[in-house]
Amino acid sequence: MPFPRSSGILLHPTSFPSRFGVGDLGPNAYHFINFLAETSQQIWQVLPLGPTGHGNSPYMCYSAIAGNPLLISPEKLREKDLLSYQDLENLPEFPEDHVDYDRAIHTKMELLWKAYENFQTKPQEAFVEFCEKKQEWLDDYALFMSLKKMNRGMAWNTWDKAIVQRDPITLEACYKCLKTEVIFQKYLQFEFFNQWSELKKYANDRGIEIIGDIPIYVAHDSVDVWSNPEIFCLDQKSSNPAGIAGVPPDYFSETGQLWGNPVYLWKKLKERNFDWWIKRFEALLEYVDIIRIDHFRGFESFWQVKMGESNAIKGKWVKVPGEEFFNVVNEKLGKLPIVAEDLGIITPEVEELRDKFEFPGMKVLHFAFGSGSGNGYLPFNYYSRNCIVYT
């Protein structure tokens, strides 16, 4: 088996208790890791850690690689003398049972901007080195977020045509005009990756591995689609999605699920030897130990719905060169520690792809007791020990 028998807990960092309205990578994250170690757990699983867009869902991020600035801990910044004790006083009272994102974002961003101003008086060598190392994705991301702020949050395909089409001269002019905001966005990534790396090392040193999540699709309103439109199914005039991702009617929904993400042009991805995906896996492996692929069945074939449909009933299955893709992944990166989310409509072809590469699948104990689920999710019926069981 690719993974030894082990157990752990799924808990996204935003769920940690916090004085700042939303959980982060501060003291309570370390307390949680101590709890895992004390109770002999070996795994901590998180959801995607990217910067969330409209609706604050970690499955609709502005970037498939960048980190969420909301997860930056002001208390850790205070330890580096980037914030004072006074800065962390007189905070608003936040609800304890849910996140009020609007208020949390306002409070956090004010503190992060203050930390950035103080950071400018500190040595810059580590920051410069970080920006150079991450340049391949960081430059586009920082400019994208700056342009988004300039355009009052509007989707990228509604911006000035020259920016939408990424005219080099126009982008250079935008970079100069928005330089302060661009550098601030880079600074936020610098602090996120510093804090996450420290936390991950703390977990690994205590025998705890982190499972991170890689959603198969990205948000349309993201730097990924803006900077790589050729690999997505978009309308050539409007740059809106022409083909939308989802799943047909199943156990979870009578009308299927219409997610709104643009589907990939796998033919184009294959021509590029899947380079975009390879970079995405490489980036995620820098801050997790094990990768869970959300909607794994989409690597065998995916459900495509035309733009304009109100639900996912009308659509079609489109084949994907999944075996070729994972062969290239193995060739470029070696055999990766991957877990396949294989819930929903799973065909023998999907199971064959999963088993060929020895990816553990998922079992959900709760499903064993619901109508129509059968007994396939009861432990004594598991035909394979190569799986992860969730309550």
Side-chain angles (χ1 to χ4, degrees), residues 57-72:
S57 167
Y59 294 90
M60 281 289 189
C61 291
Y62 290 132
S63 168
I65 295 178
N68 190 347
L70 282 185
L71 295 178
I72 297 171

Side-chain angles (χ1 to χ4, degrees), residues 255-368:
T255 57
Q257 299 176 47
L258 194 61
W259 296 330
N261 313 72
V263 297
Y264 297 104
L265 298 175
W266 279 97
K267 184 179 179 181
K268 180 64 70 173
L269 283 166
K270 183 178 175 181
E271 289 174 3
R272 292 169 43 164
N273 206 27
F274 310 109
D275 61 341
W276 181 84
W277 268 104
I278 298 297
K279 291 171 186 173
R280 196 176 171 195
F281 272 108
E282 279 182 320
L284 186 58
L285 283 169
E286 285 194 27
Y287 54 98
V288 304
D289 302 295
I290 302 166
I291 295 175
R292 171 192 176 272
I293 297 179
D294 187 57
H295 196 58
F296 174 78
R297 75 102 57 242
F299 284 100
E300 190 279 326
S301 57
F302 62 89
W303 187 249
Q304 177 173 327
V305 180
K306 286 184 179 180
M307 184 69 175
E309 292 289 338
S310 59
N311 58 50
I313 294 176
K314 295 180 181 178
K316 63 178 181 179
W317 288 107
V318 181
K319 293 290 288 183
V320 171
E323 186 173 340
E324 293 178 64
F325 169 68
F326 285 112
N327 279 331
V328 172
V329 170
N330 285 351
E331 175 192 327
K332 299 285 187 182
L333 305 176
K335 187 172 175 58
L336 298 185
I338 287 175
V339 173
E341 183 272 293
D342 55 353
L343 306 177
I345 300 173
I346 302 302
T347 63
E349 291 81 7
V350 178
E351 293 175 347
E352 183 181 344
L353 180 65
R354 178 197 64 202
D355 295 343
K356 177 179 176 62
F357 294 93
E358 297 183 305
F359 299 149
M362 287 175 55
K363 301 291 183 183
V364 182
L365 192 58
H366 180 76
F367 291 175

Side-chain angles (χ1 to χ4, degrees), residues 119-175:
F119 174 76
Q120 290 175 303
T121 66
K122 305 287 184 180
Q124 301 292 303
E125 290 84 355
F127 177 60
V128 172
E129 183 181 343
F130 172 83
C131 292
E132 289 175 351
K133 183 181 177 184
K134 308 291 186 183
Q135 182 179 15
E136 190 170 12
W137 64 265
L138 184 60
D139 284 0
D140 273 338
Y141 169 75
L143 181 58
F144 175 85
M145 295 303 293
S146 302
L147 287 165
K148 192 160 190 62
K149 184 175 180 179
M150 184 184 78
N151 285 278
R152 299 182 180 180
M154 298 294 288
W156 65 267
N157 61 318
T158 65
W159 300 347
D160 182 89
K161 188 175 180 181
I163 300 175
V164 170
Q165 296 178 348
R166 294 178 59 82
D167 172 65
I169 297 175
T170 304
L171 293 188
E172 186 177 349
C174 289
Y175 187 91

